[in-house]
């Protein structure tokens, strides 16, 4: 290839641009390649976009979900434009399927999708996707999962475990539920199962509504326990609203 470039440059007076991912070269190949490249290339440039620059290139802002998706891609440090475009395609489908659900479900879907896509399509940089998979399909506590991975048979712990734990914690992903497992299945299998996504989204919405109801009661009693004011009417109204909001 370098010989062809040299011929085109010197004999045909062509301007040639060589695009390559030199990180994939083996050590021996890289040494020889560098030596030969210096004889041919006049200018060497490294393309090192930031996560923000990469998302701005991949996402033009024309879709309602671009801002949310771009934010998650930047949080996780994605710079691979091809990966971001794959995530954009799946996110479009998720927004179509989940538009009638609680907005928190959409937010969780995008957060989980970006992580799973990072693990699947950039495995050299991300935690192993096997660590995120559960044969039962749900409810992994990553604090326990990491401990098992770090010391499965009383052997020396993998130094990467602490790095993965810190990475997931910083991203705000500490456990995986059934809805996350459904999102993961899209990335792993490459097939969008609308029925599964709808079913798990409905179950998650029921859990969120139940949690909101519990929080309403806690907030009402906090008015009583956390104040010396004469606020009996306000407390009764808050309790009544909490009862009305209990999921049927």
């Amino acid at each position: 290839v370098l010989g062809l470039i040299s011929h085109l440059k010197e004999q045909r007076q062509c301007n040639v641009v060589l695009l390559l991912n030199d990180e994939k070269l083996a050590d021996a190949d890289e040494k020889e390649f560098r030596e030969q490249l210096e004889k041919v290339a006049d200018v060497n440039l490294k393309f090192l976009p930031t996560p923000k620059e990469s998302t701005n290139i991949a996402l033009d802002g024309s879709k309602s979900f671009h801002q949310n998706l771009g934010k998650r891609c930047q949080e996780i440090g994605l710079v691979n434009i091809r990966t971001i475009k794959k995530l954009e395609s799946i996110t479009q489908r998720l927004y179509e399927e989940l538009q009638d659900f609680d907005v928190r479900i959409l937010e969780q879907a995008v957060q989980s999708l970006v992580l799973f896509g990072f693990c699947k399509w950039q495995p050299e940089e991300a935690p192993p996707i096997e660590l995120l998979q559960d044969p039962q399909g749900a409810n992994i506590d990553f604090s326990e999962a990491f401990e098992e991975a770090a010391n499965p048979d009383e052997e020396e712990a993998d130094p990467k475990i602490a790095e993965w734990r810190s990475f997931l914690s910083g991203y705000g992903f500490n456990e995986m539920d059934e809805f996350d497992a459904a999102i993961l299945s899209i990335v792993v299998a490459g097939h969008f199962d609308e029925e599964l996504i709808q079913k798990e989204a409905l179950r998650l919405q029921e859990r969120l509504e139940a949690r909101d109801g519990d929080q309403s009661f806690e907030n009402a009693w906090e008015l009583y326990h956390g104040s010396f004011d004469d606020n009996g009417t306000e407390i009764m109204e808050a309790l009544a609203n909490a009862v009305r909001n209990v999921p049927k």
Side-chain angles (χ1 to χ4, degrees):
V1 171
L2 293 178
L4 174 61
I5 292 174
S6 179
H7 173 76
L8 292 173
K9 174 185 169 186
E10 297 173 7
Q11 304 299 321
R12 302 296 179 87
Q13 287 74 53
C14 293
N15 293 321
V16 182
V17 177
L18 176 64
L19 301 178
L20 73 156
N21 183 0
D22 56 2
E23 295 178 354
K24 296 297 183 180
L25 292 171
D27 291 341
D29 293 333
E30 182 178 9
K31 183 177 183 298
E32 182 180 359
F33 174 77
R34 294 292 178 196
E35 292 174 353
Q36 301 301 322
L37 183 65
E38 290 177 0
K39 302 175 184 178
V40 176
D42 296 325
V43 178
N44 286 312
L45 294 175
K46 276 192 173 291
F47 180 62
L48 298 172
T50 65
K52 183 176 182 180
E53 290 169 338
S54 295
T55 54
N56 287 341
I57 292 170
L59 308 174
D60 60 13
S62 62
K63 304 291 186 180
S64 60
F65 59 82
H66 277 176
Q67 182 177 1
N68 187 20
L69 176 59
K71 173 187 172 185
R72 291 300 185 184
C73 289
Q74 291 175 40
E75 287 177 353
I76 216 166
L78 275 178
V79 295
N80 189 304
I81 295 171
R82 184 170 59 253
T83 296
I84 298 173
K85 295 300 289 185
K86 289 181 181 179
L87 293 171
E88 179 190 26
S89 177
I90 299 175
T91 303
Q92 174 73 59
R93 294 288 306 277
L94 286 172
Y95 263 65
E96 292 170 359
E97 293 296 326
L98 302 174
Q99 59 183 335
D100 295 328
F101 288 88
D102 190 302
V103 67
R104 289 172 292 181
I105 294 178
L106 275 171
E107 292 175 353
Q108 178 174 331
V110 174
Q111 180 190 32
S112 300
L113 172 65
V114 171
L115 172 62
F116 301 152
F118 180 48
C119 295
K120 174 68 174 179
W121 296 313
Q122 294 182 229
E124 300 90 352
E125 306 165 38
I129 200 166
E130 292 79 12
L131 193 61
L132 307 180
Q133 289 178 285
D134 178 7
Q136 302 301 320
N139 293 330
I140 304 176
D141 182 336
F142 285 109
S143 61
E144 297 178 1
F146 278 124
E147 290 300 333
E148 293 176 4
N151 199 7
D153 297 309
E154 302 299 326
E155 297 176 352
E156 184 177 354
D158 186 338
K160 293 290 290 183
I161 293 295
E163 181 181 335
W164 292 332
R165 182 190 290 116
S166 176
F167 171 80
L168 290 177
S169 177
Y171 186 60
F173 193 90
N174 298 309
E175 66 176 357
M176 185 166 74
D177 60 18
E178 292 90 342
F179 180 67
D180 294 320
I183 301 295
L184 179 58
S185 70
I186 298 174
V187 175
V188 173
H191 169 67
F192 198 101
D193 189 334
E194 296 90 346
E195 184 177 347
L196 177 62
I197 292 295
Q198 288 274 343
K199 182 182 75 172
E200 295 302 341
L202 182 59
R203 293 176 62 184
L204 177 56
Q205 179 142 315
E206 290 172 350
R207 294 197 298 271
L208 289 174
E209 290 174 350
R211 190 185 309 163
D212 290 344
D214 292 341
Q215 187 62 49
S216 296
F217 280 105
E218 291 182 16
N219 293 340
W221 282 113
E222 183 61 28
L223 292 172
Y224 173 74
H225 292 293
S227 174
F228 292 109
D229 296 339
D230 183 11
N231 57 354
T233 301
E234 183 181 0
I235 294 170
M236 292 304 297
E237 289 178 354
L239 286 170
N241 288 331
V243 172
R244 294 190 192 98
N245 293 330
V246 171
K248 296 181 180 180

